[in-house]
């Protein structure tokens, strides 16, 4: 069989030796720890045992957090490449690392007290603690600025009331970074620990997507929040949106991994499967599908690589990140769908990863900002006019 080229524009030439080494280490981890059992967990709707500890052991949590706080101290390109390799295994794996890193560790590191950083970040980096991020609510998804979760003063502390939905790791989290409005109407980040009275975690079942990931609801019934649980250095929507920007950047890379896994599966199958006396890869319609897949994957790789350069230089804008997230997720979903057709009926069974990736990507195209919302973010940047209301 011919070698399957997944780097058509020699993008590896643009990566450092360290970045490629990091990518290879995570690729080997996925091959060893994820691929052998991921279909079993997806089919059974069960989590991967000890996943967070395993991710911590290979340095995949808090990738860009300084080593002084337990992180790997790597650059943004390395973070993206790690997300790519994890999602090649399954979106649930990348989601776990993304939430822990971008949505929990990032705000604690960026906006937290020194005491909070020293206490929580090393444990989160090791996977000894599992984190969750509470922003989306039952009545507010794309318009988080209208959140109903409230933080009210109570003596030396506060009381937290409300609920958050569609939260990755909710049923198993030890700590949650939750966003709520205080009595002055400002958006504040608070750290909620699993042992706090009035804090309930409810699992969401019957999912057709991200079946190897634990999803749920966080409910706060008059939960007492200490002053030392408040993230002091932000009091606006800048807080949660900056976290989402970090996560969206990682997603733009992650979905390339899912697309590459689908693409390689398709090429291998099409060159081996024979119909009408020859491999189906010899038919024009199938070659068109594979050529378009590789073209779109290559464009996505270049988009995320350039975004990684801008992130490393501190110049990436939220609008640029939105464009990459939207484009790349749509690309990966189309690759999975087209690839499933190449495999015919075999594409729907767990012997091949295409249907699993496709169903996962149906969630990824919605979370961290829906496809349509990201279009409006780009549209507003183009025109200077808001179409949100």
């Amino acid at each position: 069989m011919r070698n399957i080229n997944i780097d058509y524009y020699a993008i590896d030439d643009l990566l450092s030796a360290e970045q490629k080494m990091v990518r290879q280490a995570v690729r080997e981890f996925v091959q060893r720890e994820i691929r052998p059992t991921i279909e079993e967990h997806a089919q059974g709707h069960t989590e991967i045992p000890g996943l967070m500890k395993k991710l911590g052991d290979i340095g995949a949590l808090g990738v860009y957090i300084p080593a002084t706080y337990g992180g790997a101290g790597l650059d943004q390109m390395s973070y993206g490449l790690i997300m790519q390799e994890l999602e090649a295994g399954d979106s649930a794996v990348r989601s776990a690392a993304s939430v822990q890193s971008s949505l929990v560790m990032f705000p604690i590191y960026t906006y937290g007290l020194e005491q909070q950083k020293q206490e929580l970040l090393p444990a989160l980096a090791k996977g000894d603690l599992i984190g969750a991020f509470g922003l989306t609510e039952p009545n507010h998804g794309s318009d988080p600025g209208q959140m109903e979760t409230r933080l009210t003063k109570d003596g030396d502390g506060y009381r937290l009331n409300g609920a958050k939905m569609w939260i990755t790791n909710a049923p198993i989290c030890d700590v949650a970074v939750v966003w709520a409005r205080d009595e002055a109407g400002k958006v504040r980040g608070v750290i909620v620990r699993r042992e706090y009275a009035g804090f309930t975690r409810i699992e969401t079942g019957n999912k057709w997507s991200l079946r190897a990931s634990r999803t749920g609801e966080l409910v706060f019934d008059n939960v007492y929040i200490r002053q030392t649980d408040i993230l002091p250095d932000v009091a606006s929507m800048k807080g949660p949106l900056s976290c989402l920007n970090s996560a969206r950047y990682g997603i733009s890379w992650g979905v390339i991994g899912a697309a590459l896994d689908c693409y390689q599966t398709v090429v291998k199958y099409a060159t081996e499967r024979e119909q009408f006396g020859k491999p189906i890869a010899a038919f024009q319609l199938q070659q068109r599908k594979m050529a378009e897949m590789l073209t779109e994957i290559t464009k996505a790789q270049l988009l995320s690589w350039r975004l990684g350069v801008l992130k490393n230089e501190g110049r990436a804008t939220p609008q640029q990140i939105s464009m990459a997230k939207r484009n790349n997720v749509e690309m990966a979903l189309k690759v999975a769908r087209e690839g499933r057709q190449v495999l015919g009926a075999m594409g729907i069974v767990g012997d091949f990863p295409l249907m699993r990736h496709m169903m996962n990507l149906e969630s990824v195209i919605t979370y961290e900002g829906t496809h349509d919302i990201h279009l409006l973010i780009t549209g507003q940047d183009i025109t200077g006019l808001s179409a949100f209301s």
Side-chain angles (χ1 to χ4, degrees), residues 151-180:
L151 191 66
T152 55
K153 201 79 175 73
D154 181 6
D156 293 333
Y158 301 84
R159 293 289 174 177
L160 181 67
N161 285 279
K164 303 292 183 178
M165 280 192 74
W166 307 117
I167 310 302
T168 296
N169 292 339
I172 56 173
C173 71
D174 299 295
V175 296
V177 173
V178 178
W179 301 91

Side-chain angles (χ1 to χ4, degrees), residues 376-389:
L376 295 183
I377 290 172
T378 303
Q380 183 177 5
D381 200 39
I382 293 168
T383 64
L385 301 171
S386 174
F388 289 99
S389 61

Side-chain angles (χ1 to χ4, degrees), residues 81-222:
L81 291 165
I82 289 171
M83 295 301 104
Q84 173 182 290
E85 296 306 315
L86 292 179
E87 191 145 3
D90 193 78
S91 296
V93 183
R94 195 268 308 145
S95 290
S98 177
V99 168
Q100 189 92 335
S101 300
S102 290
L103 302 182
V104 179
M105 296 179 71
F106 172 80
I108 293 172
Y109 172 69
T110 307
Y111 305 118
L113 295 164
E114 184 63 26
Q115 171 189 339
Q116 295 167 341
K117 297 176 190 180
Q118 292 185 7
E119 176 192 358
L120 296 174
L121 291 178
L124 289 164
K126 292 178 183 177
D128 290 339
L129 293 178
I130 297 175
F133 173 83
L135 180 62
T136 299
E137 297 184 350
N139 295 324
H140 303 285
S142 294
D143 61 342
Q146 302 302 312
M147 69 180 69
E148 298 173 22
T149 302
R150 290 292 182 264
L151 191 66
T152 55
K153 201 79 175 73
D154 181 6
D156 293 333
Y158 301 84
R159 293 289 174 177
L160 181 67
N161 285 279
K164 303 292 183 178
M165 280 192 74
W166 307 117
I167 310 302
T168 296
N169 292 339
I172 56 173
C173 71
D174 299 295
V175 296
V177 173
V178 178
W179 301 91
R181 286 201 180 274
D182 64 16
E183 292 168 299
K186 295 181 178 179
V187 175
R188 306 303 303 268
V190 302
I191 297 169
V192 185
R193 302 165 193 259
R194 67 181 301 170
E195 65 268 20
Y196 286 3
F199 178 30
T200 306
R201 301 161 300 149
I202 304 169
E203 183 153 13
T204 300
N206 298 320
K207 298 181 299 179
W208 287 108
S209 182
L210 291 172
R211 289 172 60 85
S213 177
R214 302 289 292 275
T215 309
E217 186 174 359
L218 306 176
V219 181
F220 316 103
D221 182 10
N222 218 32

Side-chain angles (χ1 to χ4, degrees), residues 16-69:
S16 70
E18 181 183 47
Q19 290 162 352
K20 287 184 278 191
M21 181 178 67
V22 167
R23 182 185 61 188
Q24 183 61 30
V26 179
R27 185 173 292 175
E28 291 172 0
F29 164 80
V30 169
Q31 187 65 28
R32 181 179 68 251
E33 299 288 342
I34 304 302
R35 292 190 188 278
T37 61
I38 187 58
E39 291 294 342
E40 174 188 339
H41 292 298
Q43 294 281 355
H45 212 318
T46 57
E47 65 182 308
I48 301 165
L51 176 62
M52 299 305 288
K53 284 286 292 178
K54 292 176 181 178
L55 291 173
D57 288 343
I58 64 168
L61 304 176
V63 174
Y64 48 79
I65 300 296
T68 52
Y69 295 114

